[in-house]
Amino acid sequence: QVQLVESGGGLVQPGGSLRLSCAVSGTIFTLYTMGWYRQAPGKQRELVAGITSGGSTNYVDSVKGRFTISRDNAKSTVYLQMNSLKPEDTAVYYCNARYNMGDYWGQGAQVTVSS
């Protein structure tokens, strides 16, 4: 059974930093394209950042230069380092793992940016 467990969310002031982690178990992590999505109240879920099995990355324009996605294949974990956080980054952040017909989601981590 594939499981994705997220950690690292919380409350931070504008300009602060947080790092989200997503530990994957029950499958061959290195095969998967990993992504971080977010959903703010009243808005659709959007892709924030993605990283392929080969390490190629992509970001939504609003986080370029502030967020960094990375993966540690030895730990079967993907990270999202978030710097210079803004109130508009407030959302529930979800980890996603995708390979062939497999499409798996974490439970979500709340990130709140507020003074």
Side-chain angles (χ1 to χ4, degrees):
Q1 181 179 358
V2 180
Q3 287 189 317
L4 283 66
V5 179
E6 298 152 358
S7 59
L11 172 64
V12 64
Q13 292 187 341
S17 298
L18 282 176
R19 188 176 81 156
L20 300 179
S21 301
C22 174
V24 180
S25 61
T27 190
I28 304 173
F29 177 75
T30 53
L31 295 175
Y32 284 76
T33 290
M34 301 299 300
W36 285 99
Y37 289 72
R38 67 185 178 187
Q39 187 166 20
K43 295 188 176 181
Q44 288 189 328
R45 190 174 296 189
E46 66 170 350
L47 175 65
V48 176
I51 184 166
T52 68
S53 58
S56 297
T57 59
N58 64 284
Y59 299 90
V60 68
D61 285 347
S62 60
V63 307
K64 285 180 180 177
R66 301 189 297 122
F67 290 12
T68 303
I69 189 171
S70 61
R71 64 191 297 160
D72 185 335
N73 289 335
K75 295 182 178 180
S76 296
T77 299
V78 63
Y79 304 96
L80 185 68
Q81 178 66 44
M82 303 183 291
N83 299 328
S84 302
L85 282 160
K86 303 175 181 181
E88 51 263 42
D89 295 317
T90 295
V92 178
Y93 284 70
Y94 296 91
C95 177
N96 173 260
R98 192 166 299 172
Y99 173 67
N100 282 352
M101 300 300 291
D103 188 5
Y104 304 99
W105 293 88
Q107 80 281 5
Q110 177 69 47
V111 171
T112 302
V113 184
S114 175
S115 55

